[in-house]
Amino acid sequence: MQVELQQVNKLFQKDNGQSLQVLENINLTIKRGEFLSLIGPSGCGKSTILHIIAGLEFPTEGKLLVNGQQVKGPGPDRIVVFQESGLFPWMNVLENVMYGLLLKKMKRKEAEEKAMDALRMVHLGRFSKAFPHELSGGMKQRVAIARALVMDPDILLMDEPFAALDEQTRMVLHYELQEIWQKTKKTIIFITHNIREAVMLSQRIALMGTRPGILKKEFLVEAAFPRNPSDNVLVHLERRILASLEQEMEKVLKEEMGDDYRLQKGAHVGDPLYHLGSDI
Ligand SMILES: Nc1ncnc2c1ncn2[C@@H]1O[C@H](COP(=O)(O)OP(=O)(O)O)[C@@H](O)[C@H]1O
Ligand SMILES: [Mg+2]
């Protein structure tokens, strides 16, 4: 196993001195070359798991092993791509992508060649001299992916990288990411709260429950790549995952709305959640 989380608990200290348990007893293993998605409602601890794997946060209890070694911090073998591209606005696309290689003291010529290869991989070879403000949201995220790929990490950690994009752009990037994954054979751990996206991209999906964050269920996505969005296997699986997620959402809504939750449910007899309660 390339990544192993063993019995991980994570508590954060709140301002009022109390502690908040964010992750409870997380056991998760990810194989080399696997594409795994983590999905779950907002606030369930998805980013916290990713930050632990990246070495940006540490488990309060339990262990994270990467290639059998306990992780002590961030490393060049694990790179995160965030929702915001985080490009330097004063550098052009090529300079942005080369930046990490130059920091590693790579010769300029070699860095430029590697950066151009990475840009071609995300179909932006023609835009190497453009500046970030000249690019669309989808193009910026492609540059962010190229900037991660050029460092040649074993593991790519992606935290809702397409969440801010429109539907069409996101679909195009789904095809590109599948292609990149198949060409580079990287391990990809992908976070999303979009079930369709998880189903389109992953071999395996881990669904999280919330408060505290637990791993609730796993789903295997048994369909060939590149994925066809209208494939029945995918459509069916999407429905199954949605049903599991709805149970989680109901729990969250009940906690957040208290008595109002019951009122709202009573008011909407057609609501699909309407019949799930026992005391209505
Ligand atoms: N550094 C932190 N300090 C305190 N609480 C945090 C910190 N980071 C995250 N949290 C809390 O932990 C919970 C899970 O956060 P996060 O992992 O970002 O969830 P997700 O990515 O699933 O939306 C949230 O309630 C969030 O407010
Ligand atoms: Mg998050």
Side-chain angles (χ1 to χ4, degrees):
M1 292 302 154
Q2 190 170 31
V3 178
E4 286 179 70
L5 289 137
Q6 296 177 346
Q7 313 270 42
V8 167
N9 286 320
K10 178 71 181 174
L11 280 78
F12 283 119
Q13 216 59 42
K14 290 204 286 194
D15 292 342
N16 62 11
Q18 288 182 329
S19 60
L20 172 73
Q21 178 150 20
V22 173
L23 297 177
E24 183 179 271
N25 199 19
I26 302 288
N27 289 296
L28 181 67
T29 57
I30 299 134
K31 285 188 293 225
R32 179 176 291 277
E34 188 173 5
F35 196 127
L36 172 98
S37 288
L38 268 178
I39 64 170
S42 177
C44 72
K46 301 182 294 296
S47 295
T48 305
I49 291 188
L50 205 79
H51 294 162
I52 289 175
I53 298 173
L56 302 168
E57 294 276 3
F58 295 93
T60 313
E61 286 174 272
K63 267 197 245 176
L64 163 70
L65 305 178
V66 174
N67 297 323
Q69 303 284 319
Q70 197 150 352
V71 166
K72 306 230 161 55
D77 55 334
R78 286 156 285 137
I79 294 191
V80 190
V81 176
F82 295 98
Q83 183 175 330
E84 290 296 323
S85 66
L87 301 177
F88 298 129
W90 61 89
M91 290 185 186
N92 71 25
V93 164
L94 183 67
E95 289 162 345
N96 265 289
V97 177
M98 284 166 62
Y99 182 76
L101 296 176
L102 295 179
L103 277 188
K104 283 202 328 187
K105 308 269 182 265
M106 186 180 279
K107 293 217 169 65
R108 202 172 175 87
K109 181 110 189 7
E110 193 186 348
E112 226 173 271
E113 278 166 20
K114 283 198 188 298
M116 280 311 296
D117 284 345
L119 281 170
R120 278 190 283 268
M121 181 92 79
V122 295
H123 305 114
L124 282 181
R126 289 187 303 121
F127 290 88
S128 61
K129 296 288 186 279
F131 282 83
H133 74 268
E134 299 172 273
L135 306 179
S136 68
M139 290 159 94
K140 280 186 202 156
Q141 283 311 85
R142 286 195 177 97
V143 179
I145 293 171
R147 192 180 48 179
L149 287 175
V150 83
M151 304 307 287
D152 200 21
D154 289 339
I155 305 168
L156 206 52
L157 303 167
M158 307 186 85
D159 195 348
E160 310 211 26
F162 308 144
L165 304 179
D166 63 78
E167 193 63 29
Q168 282 80 15
T169 307
R170 193 185 302 162
M171 272 172 61
V172 174
L173 279 156
H174 287 168
Y175 283 110
E176 281 191 9
L177 187 58
Q178 290 179 63
E179 194 180 69
I180 289 167
W181 174 66
Q182 292 197 300
K183 272 192 193 151
T184 62
K185 309 209 159 41
K186 305 249 172 250
T187 308
I188 300 187
I189 304 173
F190 189 96
I191 288 185
T192 178
H193 55 250
N194 184 321
I195 303 174
R196 165 131 290 241
E197 178 162 87
V199 163
M200 269 298 283
L201 295 173
S202 339
Q203 294 176 300
R204 183 159 62 107
I205 298 173
L207 172 68
M208 291 184 70
T210 186
R211 304 185 184 194
I214 51 161
L215 285 177
K216 210 178 153 201
K217 244 185 201 172
E218 272 194 22
F219 301 87
L220 288 180
V221 193
E222 288 171 318
F225 290 93
R227 293 272 163 80
N228 168 1
S230 50
D231 184 332
N232 264 335
V233 172
L234 302 186
V235 175
H236 182 70
L237 182 61
E238 196 180 334
R239 269 196 229 125
R240 272 178 58 209
I241 298 175
L242 181 64
S244 293
L245 199 60
E246 265 173 1
Q247 291 170 8
E248 247 351 271
M249 295 311 296
E250 182 178 56
K251 190 172 125 197
V252 175
L253 288 175
K254 264 187 184 157
E255 274 179 29
E256 285 177 356
M257 295 165 72
D259 283 346
D260 287 349
Y261 176 67
R262 212 167 298 163
L263 254 179
Q264 170 146 342
K265 280 176 79 170
H268 296 92
V269 182
D271 187 311
L273 296 176
Y274 181 70
H275 297 291
L276 291 178
S278 57
D279 55 345
I280 303 165

